[in-house]
Amino acid sequence: MPYDPSAFPPFAVTVDLVVLTVRRHALCALAVRRGEPPFQGRWALPGGFVRADEDLAQAAARELAEETGLRVHDPVAPARAGGAHLEQLATYGDPQRDPRMRVVSVAHLALAPDLPAPRAGGDASNARWAQVGELLQQADCGRDGEPVAPLAFDHAQILADGVERARSKIEYSSLATAFCPPEFTVGELRRVYEAVWGVALDPRNFHRKVTGTPGFLVPTGGTTTRQGGRPAQLFRAGGATLLNPPMLRPEV
């Protein structure tokens, strides 16, 4: 039988972005206030519809730039300030997830070092970094006294899945270095783990584990005093992408 496209209901494809960073020692996610229906005025994850002439990664990178001004770091190019690590997270296809029509969303996880306040664009009327716990809570008011409504669409679930991906993946991979500048200290990397996991780690044990895997961290030959105290050795992410043995997340 020949393929008859009219025999199947139409649906759209979108990309949603879980953009995480560490600001003031806390894990934060990027949220945009929707400027158009549906859910106008509600906070949501950045994202939008995939165009006919682009693949999913291109759509995710475009939406990230349009709605926030952030750009994706090219993994084959030298590390640069302000770049974001981008990877596909999961696909969400509940028939009722979007009141406009049947919409399937391919969510992406983006990680970036401490970044300034983002700029809103596209159909977003405002954009801000917010602590992950604040975005996922169901309390009446946030820390600033503003009423908190659940994130639009199914974005609370997408955000929770993205946070869990980051928390589990830094146990065994070099993903945590995506939260750091190109050159960083072991102490700065430890504070990333502490912010993502929400726990305090023993500095000596942490230093031994991350420097014990050959090629995981590479000394740059420089030092810094930006954290105060004595000069601390600077490192960059090495070619080894797996931490062996892995650093298991403490139970809380």
Side-chain angles (χ1 to χ4, degrees):
M1 294 292 292
Y3 170 68
D4 179 10
S6 65
F8 301 93
F11 67 92
V13 178
T14 62
V15 289
D16 287 310
L17 302 168
V18 178
V19 187
L20 301 178
T21 194
V22 175
R23 291 173 60 83
R24 292 182 288 276
H25 308 301
L27 182 64
C28 295
L30 188 63
V32 297
R33 191 187 294 276
R34 289 188 55 79
E36 300 175 358
F39 305 108
Q40 185 172 8
R42 289 263 293 275
W43 291 100
L45 299 176
F49 289 93
V50 178
R51 294 173 179 171
D53 61 345
E54 61 187 2
D55 62 26
L56 295 172
Q58 291 170 334
R62 174 182 54 78
E63 285 291 340
L64 187 66
E66 286 181 356
E67 295 205 13
T68 70
L70 304 178
R71 63 185 184 275
V72 174
H73 166 62
D74 183 353
V76 302
R80 64 186 184 187
H85 165 87
L86 183 69
E87 65 178 62
Q88 196 171 120
L89 174 62
T91 302
Y92 300 82
D94 189 300
Q96 307 302 319
R97 64 177 304 275
D98 193 314
R100 293 168 292 189
M101 63 178 297
R102 180 70 189 274
V103 176
V104 174
S105 180
V106 182
H108 288 70
L109 176 64
L111 308 178
D114 185 16
L115 294 168
R119 62 172 177 82
D123 61 356
S125 63
N126 192 15
R128 68 182 178 116
W129 294 108
Q131 291 190 17
V132 165
E134 176 187 339
L135 290 176
L136 293 177
Q137 71 179 334
Q138 301 297 317
D140 293 333
C141 293
R143 291 183 300 107
D144 56 1
E146 181 181 5
V148 174
L151 290 173
F153 304 104
D154 52 359
H155 288 184
Q157 182 61 57
I158 297 175
L159 174 60
D161 292 346
V163 170
E164 180 55 33
R165 164 77 68 86
R167 285 174 172 166
S168 61
K169 199 168 180 180
I170 66 173
E171 291 184 338
Y172 62 87
S173 77
S174 60
L175 189 67
T177 61
F179 288 104
C180 296
E183 295 186 358
F184 51 88
T185 68
V186 170
E188 289 170 336
L189 182 61
R190 173 173 51 83
R191 281 183 280 275
V192 167
Y193 276 83
E194 292 176 335
V196 174
W197 284 345
V199 297
L201 299 175
D202 180 78
R204 292 186 178 181
N205 288 340
F206 180 86
H207 190 284
R208 184 178 66 253
K209 288 184 178 180
V210 297
T211 59
T213 298
F216 189 74
L217 297 182
V218 177
T220 67
T223 60
T224 181
T225 57
R226 61 184 174 226
Q227 298 299 317
R230 294 182 299 176
Q233 188 175 12
L234 286 169
F235 294 84
R236 61 175 174 82
T241 58
L242 295 179
L243 190 60
N244 186 25
M247 187 174 330
L248 299 181
R249 188 188 338 175
E251 295 184 4
V252 294

